[in-house]
Amino acid sequence: PDLDIIIPLYKSRSNLGPLVSRLGDWIASGELDVRVIFVDDGGADGTFEALPMALANVRFKSLSLKLAKNYGQHTATAIGFSQSTAPLVATIDDDLQHDPFQLNTMLSTLREENVDLIYGIYDKKKHSIVRNLGSFLLKKILWTGGRDYSAVTSFRLMKSSVVSVFKNVQLPVIFVDEYLIENA
C-alpha cells in the first residue's frame, strides 16, 4: 500500500458503519493504494466481532487486530504502527471526529513542506471530560521535560521512518507522541 491508516477501536460497535463508509468514500475518491489497520483495544461491546460485517462490502484492504485486554489508545496505536508496511502512515480516531477527507490537505502539506510528521486539529473536540482531563494532565507532565505537546492530537500523518521505532515494541506504550516527535 501507499498509505496505512491506523484506527484504534474501543467500544466502537455503533460507529463502525459510518466510519467504514466514510473511509470507503475517501479511498474511492483518490488514487492511493490504502490499507486500514483496525486495532480493537479490548472493549467488551462486540466491536471486533462486528467488524467483519462492517467490512463485508468495502473495496479497500484492511487488517484487523484484537488486543487481549484494554491497554489504552496509545498502545493500540503502537501495535498498529508495528504492522504498517506503507511509506506513509496516518492515524485517526474511531469516532469520526477526524474526517478522512482532511487527509488530502495533510498529504499535500507533507509533500510541499517535505516534513516527516503532521498533526491535524479538531474543528471542535467532542471527547468526554475524563478523556480530555487525562490528555491534558499527560501533556503537562511531559511538558516538564521541555517539549510542548499542546497541539498534539491523534490525527496524524507521517512517513514510515517516524514509526519505525514501534516495529519491535514489547511493552505497553504510554504516550505515542513522545516517540513520534523524537523520531520526526
Side-chain angles (χ1 to χ4, degrees), residues 154-170:
S154 56
F155 191 27
R156 312 169 186 93
L157 176 66
M158 67 216 80
K159 294 178 181 174
S160 62
S161 59
V162 176
V163 300
S164 64
V165 69
F166 295 103
K167 292 299 181 186
N168 297 311
V169 71
Q170 298 293 318

Side-chain angles (χ1 to χ4, degrees), residues 52-71:
M53 179 69 98
L55 294 170
N57 297 315
V58 301
R59 297 182 184 265
F60 59 83
K61 298 174 195 159
S62 66
L63 173 64
S64 303
L65 307 167
K66 180 174 177 62
L67 303 184
K69 66 178 190 173
N70 177 240
Y71 288 97

